[in-house]
Amino acid sequence: MEIEVNQKSDRYSYNQIKNRLQSYIVSANSLTFLVDQQRQVQMTGDQIVEYILSNLPRRQILELLEMLEIIKSRDSNTLHYLQYILHGIIQNKVRK
């Protein structure tokens, strides 16, 4: 199932979006990324999925899925992009 961000995006259920995220993320048993120069965070795939679902608006999650699909179609590793996204989410929360 390919998810595209458009007028039909509202048709995707929470579970469909969650399953799609899991297909990209859960394959990573865990992911470590820098929060700042002094602190690293390690999350399991399931924790990453829940973190993204609880901290990004639906539209941004759909855009994230679209980017992950593009990266995967190029046979590239999606983990670096996920690290970048998670770092951005955390930095945004720290600023608030």
Side-chain angles (χ1 to χ4, degrees):
M1 171 183 76
E2 186 173 318
I3 293 182
E4 294 180 19
V5 180
N6 56 32
Q7 297 90 359
K8 297 179 183 179
S9 297
D10 293 333
R11 294 184 184 175
Y12 299 112
S13 72
Y14 175 84
N15 286 334
Q16 287 175 309
I17 292 170
K18 183 176 179 177
N19 289 338
R20 196 67 186 154
L21 267 176
Q22 286 175 328
S23 73
Y24 289 109
I25 297 171
V26 173
S27 61
N29 292 331
S30 67
L31 189 61
T32 302
F33 57 96
L34 287 174
V35 174
D36 55 37
Q37 292 180 353
Q38 300 169 352
R39 191 174 65 162
Q40 280 188 328
V41 172
Q42 184 171 1
M43 292 184 178
T44 66
D46 287 330
Q47 288 173 323
I48 294 168
V49 169
E50 291 303 321
Y51 190 76
I52 289 171
L53 289 172
S54 63
N55 287 290
L56 288 179
R58 179 184 180 88
R59 182 92 177 152
Q60 287 181 341
I61 294 169
L62 292 170
E63 290 170 356
L64 171 63
L65 286 171
E66 208 169 22
M67 289 305 299
L68 290 171
E69 288 176 15
I70 290 169
I71 292 167
K72 188 174 181 180
S73 72
R74 295 179 180 168
D75 293 326
S76 296
N77 189 343
T78 58
L79 295 181
H80 298 291
Y81 185 67
L82 286 170
Q83 287 173 322
Y84 172 76
I85 294 299
L86 292 170
H87 179 76
I89 292 170
I90 288 175
Q91 289 301 310
N92 191 36
K93 286 181 77 170
V94 167
R95 289 184 194 136
K96 289 183 178 181

